Amino acid sequence: MTMISEPDVPAIELGHRETVPGKPSRARMIGVIAAGALLVTAINVTAAVYLYRGVNDLKTIEARLDQLGQFEQRIGARIDTVNNGFQSRFETLDRQLQASFGRINGDVARLEQGQPAAASAPAPGAPEPSMLGNTTVADASAAYEGGADPADAQPSFKRKVAPPGPNPSYQRIQQPDGKVYYKKIN
């Protein structure tokens, strides 16, 4: 290998380099990039931790909401049971009230005809006769034609007492918003 040398040109030293003014050094550039990467990594780790906590909180809330739905179903079932109990009590009271009104109407009808109400009233707890008040005009006219004296004949028919109506039923109606209504059906 041939070397050309000029005595006027200064020799170049390879170990020491001069920096150009206005241009950053490579070590400084690598340090800035490393610091930036470290900052982005710290932000990503922090975001991942908060996201993980948020997902766990969301799962916990969903589990509580599922429990709340089951609790609502249990409460609804208990309320329906209570409603049915009240309805059956009201129906029983209604039947008893209708029976009492029927007895009162029968007593009033007997009093209007001049019969003592206490003498003809059945004993409490004893069943009422099924044929009471079911005498028709045809039966009375047959008794009259049978030779009974019209002056002595007292009409044998009585005013018909309306029996209590059928036991009312209730239809349960649940609306989409969860409200429950009961409609009376005859």
Side-chain angles (χ1 to χ4, degrees):
M1 192 176 286
T2 311
M3 218 165 125
I4 301 174
S5 68
E6 287 187 31
D8 296 339
V9 177
I12 300 176
E13 293 181 20
L14 295 175
H16 181 58
R17 233 193 213 183
E18 290 182 23
T19 60
V20 178
K23 188 173 181 183
S25 69
R26 284 188 178 189
R28 187 173 196 155
M29 181 72 87
I30 292 173
V32 168
I33 290 174
L38 185 64
L39 181 65
V40 168
T41 303
I43 291 173
N44 282 339
V45 168
T46 304
V49 167
Y50 281 110
L51 182 64
Y52 179 73
R53 286 182 183 172
V55 168
N56 282 340
D57 289 344
L58 186 62
K59 286 180 182 178
T60 304
I61 289 172
E62 284 178 354
R64 295 283 306 246
L65 285 175
D66 287 341
Q67 291 175 352
L68 183 62
Q70 293 170 354
F71 176 74
E72 181 182 4
Q73 289 175 352
R74 287 193 310 262
I75 292 295
R78 287 185 182 171
I79 287 174
D80 287 344
T81 303
V82 170
N83 282 343
N84 290 337
F86 277 126
Q87 282 179 0
S88 65
R89 286 184 183 176
F90 283 136
E91 288 172 358
T92 303
L93 288 174
D94 186 44
R95 277 183 293 211
Q96 290 173 352
L97 188 63
Q98 291 296 331
S100 296
F101 282 144
R103 275 187 263 132
I104 290 171
N105 287 339
D107 290 343
V108 169
R110 284 185 209 102
L111 286 175
E112 286 176 353
Q113 293 178 356
Q115 296 176 357
S120 65
E128 292 185 10
S130 62
M131 295 301 290
L132 180 67
N134 288 340
T135 307
T136 63
V137 176
D139 294 338
S141 63
Y144 176 71
E145 289 175 3
D149 187 13
D152 294 338
Q154 188 176 12
S156 63
F157 60 91
K158 296 179 183 175
R159 183 180 297 178
K160 212 177 216 183
V161 177
N167 187 12
S169 311
Y170 293 92
Q171 177 185 9
R172 183 177 187 270
I173 301 170
Q174 184 171 5
Q175 294 185 341
D177 61 353
K179 293 182 181 178
V180 177
Y181 296 98
Y182 293 91
K183 181 179 175 184
K184 188 174 183 179
I185 302 172
N186 285 335

